[in-house]
Amino acid sequence: MPAASYYESNARQRVRGLFDDGTVVEILPPQARVTSPHLAALGMPVALDDGVMTGSARLDGRPVLFAAEEPAFMGGSVGEVHGAKLTGLLLRAARDRPDAVVLLWDTGGVRLHEANAGLIAISEIQRALFQARAAGVPVIAVCAGANGCYGGLGIVARSCDHIVMTEEGRHSVSGPEVIESQQGVEEFDASDRALVWRTMGGKHRYLIGEASSFALDSIADLRRAVAVLIERPAPLTLETVQREHAALARRLRRFGGASDATEVWALLGVADPAGLPMLDEQDFVALADTLRERCDD
C-alpha cells in the first residue's frame, strides 16, 4: 500500500499524517471501551471506538478538533455511539471555539442494524454542526475515502463550510446501490463504475461547485488543502442561505435537462467532456477553475 495514499489508509493513519506530530489527543479512545449496545445485543462484532476516532490536534500549529471514520468497520456506518461521539465533538467545538473542526468522512450512511438510533444520531449531528458554525467555528469535511460519503452524513457534509475531495472520493445522499434498488438498473447501473464516478466523484463535485477544493489522493496534499480552507470560513447567515438557494435554482435551470454528467460538463463549456475523466489533477484543476459553477456567485 502506498504509505501516503489517503484512500487506502485507515482512520488512525490519516490522523497521524494530517495533523502536527505529537499533538493528537484522542477523546474516548479504544481503551475506554465505549461500544455499541445494539450490535452486542445482535451478537455482532463491535469496535472499541465504534468505528470513529475523535480528538484534538494541531494543524500548522493551529488548534483543531477532528473526527476520522474507520473505513474497515461496517462501512464507516453511523450508529448510536458513533453518532454521539460526533455530536459531542461538535458541541465541544461550539463551546471551546477551536480554529476549526476537520471531519474525515468515510461512510455509507446510517448503520441499518441500529435503525432509529442511527437516524436520530444524524439529526443530532446536524444540529450540533450548526451550533458550531453559529459559534464561528469553521467546519471542513474531507470526502476522499473508500466508502465515499453517503446517506445522512452526505447531507451533513454539504452543511459544512467546505468540502475537500479527491478524484477517488464520492459524495451523494443515496449511494449507487440504493438508487438502483429503488429505481431500477435502467435509472442507475451501480455496477458501472465510470457512471458512478462521473456522477458522484470528486471531479464532478468540484466542477459543479459542491466541493471547495480538489486534492490529490495524498495525505500530504489533503493536509495542505484543509490548512488553506481554515483561513476561509463561510459565514452562516440568512443572506448566505438565500444565495445558496438561488444558486441551486440556477443550477436546475441550467442543467435540469441533462441526462448524464458529460452533458453537464458540455454545458459548462468543457470542449472534450468524454476526455475529462482522463485529465491529471493539475490539468483538471487548471481547466475546472475557468469553468466551474460557484454556488455563491
Side-chain angles (χ1 to χ4, degrees):
M1 182 192 77
S5 168
Y6 181 95
Y7 186 90
E8 298 185 30
S9 299
N10 62 36
R12 282 175 168 71
Q13 289 169 329
R14 292 169 181 174
V15 168
R16 281 200 300 271
L18 275 166
F19 302 111
D20 298 352
D21 289 344
T23 66
V24 174
V25 177
E26 189 166 355
I27 301 169
L28 288 179
Q31 296 89 331
R33 295 180 177 270
V34 180
T35 62
S36 165
H38 306 286
L39 295 180
L42 293 169
M44 302 189 69
V46 299
L48 298 181
D49 59 4
D50 205 37
V52 63
M53 178 184 185
T54 56
S56 63
R58 288 187 177 268
L59 178 56
D60 289 345
R62 305 183 67 163
V64 299
L65 295 177
F66 70 84
E69 295 182 303
E70 173 50 54
F73 182 67
M74 306 195 78
S77 57
V78 180
E80 183 175 2
V81 171
H82 187 120
K85 290 176 73 174
L86 294 171
T87 299
L89 184 85
L90 290 162
L91 292 177
R92 181 170 179 160
R95 184 194 68 189
D96 296 349
R97 302 191 181 190
D99 283 4
V101 178
V102 182
L103 303 172
L104 308 181
W105 290 154
D106 198 336
T107 179
V110 168
R111 187 178 298 159
L112 299 181
H113 314 73
E114 304 198 24
N116 291 346
L119 291 170
I120 292 170
I122 294 293
S123 65
E124 292 173 338
I125 296 165
Q126 181 84 346
R127 183 169 54 190
L129 167 70
F130 285 130
Q131 288 182 246
R133 290 193 63 190
V137 180
V139 184
I140 299 165
V142 176
C143 303
N147 296 306
C149 179
Y150 292 116
L153 287 189
I155 299 172
V156 173
R158 194 59 187 89
S159 303
C160 294
D161 291 60
H162 298 290
I163 297 176
V164 182
M165 293 192 73
T166 62
E167 181 169 9
E168 291 78 4
R170 287 149 288 141
H171 175 223
S172 184
V173 175
S174 297
E177 290 78 11
V178 173
I179 299 173
E180 182 181 308
S181 67
Q182 296 300 311
Q183 300 296 325
V185 70
E186 299 82 6
E187 175 69 20
F188 200 93
D189 183 355
S191 67
D192 185 342
R193 309 315 287 171
L195 171 64
V196 171
W197 258 268
R198 71 175 179 266
T199 306
M200 305 171 177
K203 281 183 172 175
H204 182 61
R205 292 303 183 200
Y206 187 68
L207 272 169
I208 62 172
E210 295 287 327
S212 303
S213 183
F214 185 83
L216 293 171
D217 176 38
S218 150
I219 292 176
D221 202 45
L222 283 162
R223 173 189 163 99
R224 174 201 58 75
V226 170
V228 168
L229 292 175
I230 291 177
E231 305 289 345
R232 294 168 42 196
L236 181 61
T237 64
L238 177 60
E239 181 185 10
T240 58
V241 172
Q242 290 174 328
R243 199 159 58 227
E244 182 78 7
H245 284 197
L248 291 172
R250 184 182 65 223
R251 184 184 302 171
L252 278 175
R253 289 194 299 272
R254 191 175 183 188
F255 307 122
S259 59
D260 193 288
T262 53
E263 295 179 27
V264 173
W265 302 343
L267 289 167
L268 280 168
V270 176
D272 179 19
L276 187 138
M278 303 308 295
L279 294 178
D280 64 23
E281 186 266 351
Q282 186 174 8
D283 289 343
F284 168 72
V285 171
L287 172 68
D289 282 351
T290 64
L291 303 170
R292 65 190 292 256
E293 281 271 288
R294 293 181 174 85
C295 291
D296 293 332
D297 282 352

